[in-house]
Amino acid sequence: MLTLYDADRCPYCARTRIVLAEKGLDYETVVVDLDDRPAWIYEKNPLGRVPVLEEDDFVLPESAVINEYLEERYPAPALLPEDPAARAEARLLVERFDRLSRPYYALRRGDEGARAELGAQLAGLDSILAGRAFLTGREFGLADSAYLPWILRARESLGVDLDPYPLLADWVGRVSERPSVAAELEVLAAL
Ligand SMILES: N[C@@H](CCC(=O)N[C@@H](CS)C(=O)NCC(=O)O)C(=O)O
């Protein structure tokens, strides 16, 4: 049995919700109140953060690691390409995700220059999509799941216009038709 310690508003949790949905896995959700975190969450994750995935007595924090675990434990459908170089490229994008999250959170705080810095990162993703349909490669996968929650929130909550990044905007439109991502749009609309 899989359990996800989860919070609707958390984009890191959204990463894992997308992967669980893409893989068609059944799981239980335990909602963690981020404004009043229960003491027991520190037993699951010493940092006190969500998401945490539990499978029987195996407990795992960190969204990127959880998603890699799910990919290996439940390989079908694959969310990484077969080719080792393409797999490495997808992993590199996930590894360097803080280049996008830094200006995203700076913009949320209202820091000067953050919107332009976030725009530069969105332009970088747009140029990656010039050579491929998805950030992960030819198929939707882990890198797409890793970036989408912030890009959706930037558009929906921070008023970031994606029109200047046409390939990125097309990608958002394309992936939004997937049930895993459509469900996240519903979560966002209800926040
Ligand atoms: N690196 C972690 C970050 C998770 C994270 O920051 N989660 C936030 C909610 S979106 C959280 O639990 N914050 C509580 C805190 O930082 O104390 C991951 O990828 O899972």
Side-chain angles (χ1 to χ4, degrees):
M1 168 54 80
L2 287 166
T3 303
L4 180 67
Y5 296 85
D6 189 23
D8 277 359
R9 74 169 197 240
C10 173
Y12 295 95
C13 293
R15 280 179 161 182
T16 293
R17 292 193 298 260
I18 292 171
V19 167
L20 286 162
E22 286 288 333
K23 290 194 175 279
L25 294 168
D26 285 332
Y27 63 100
E28 276 180 0
T29 297
V30 175
V31 174
V32 173
D33 181 350
L34 292 175
D35 295 323
D36 183 18
R37 270 173 297 161
W40 52 256
I41 193 68
Y42 290 89
E43 287 162 27
K44 313 262 177 217
N45 178 2
L47 299 182
R49 292 183 179 150
V50 289
V52 174
L53 184 80
E54 212 168 62
E55 182 160 44
D56 304 321
D57 53 5
F58 178 56
V59 182
L60 189 64
E62 294 296 336
S63 58
V65 181
I66 293 171
N67 288 355
E68 287 261 359
Y69 170 74
L70 290 170
E71 175 66 3
E72 293 190 351
R73 175 89 172 82
Y74 302 97
L79 294 178
L80 280 174
E82 262 183 47
D83 172 54
R87 292 167 81 85
E89 277 181 13
R91 288 186 166 120
L92 187 60
L93 268 177
V94 178
E95 176 75 20
R96 294 195 169 156
F97 168 75
D98 61 344
R99 292 192 306 181
L100 182 92
S101 63
R102 233 182 292 113
Y104 169 89
Y105 288 108
L107 179 59
R108 245 183 43 168
R109 288 191 302 271
D111 291 2
E112 200 178 325
R115 193 171 287 273
E117 205 193 316
L118 181 61
Q121 295 306 321
L122 295 174
L125 294 175
D126 191 70
S127 56
I128 288 171
L129 288 165
R132 58 180 81 162
F134 298 99
L135 294 175
T136 310
R138 278 202 298 268
E139 306 288 342
F140 181 90
L142 294 189
D144 303 278
S145 314
Y147 280 76
L148 254 170
W150 285 265
I151 293 171
L152 296 179
R153 282 162 175 74
R155 187 187 67 178
E156 303 295 316
S157 313
L158 301 181
V160 173
D161 180 13
L162 296 182
D163 286 350
Y165 323 104
L167 298 176
L168 190 68
D170 283 355
W171 168 78
V172 170
R174 198 161 52 245
V175 298
S176 296
E177 287 170 17
R178 305 177 81 83
S180 66
V181 179
E184 287 305 318
L185 286 167
E186 283 178 24
V187 168
L188 267 182
L191 285 179

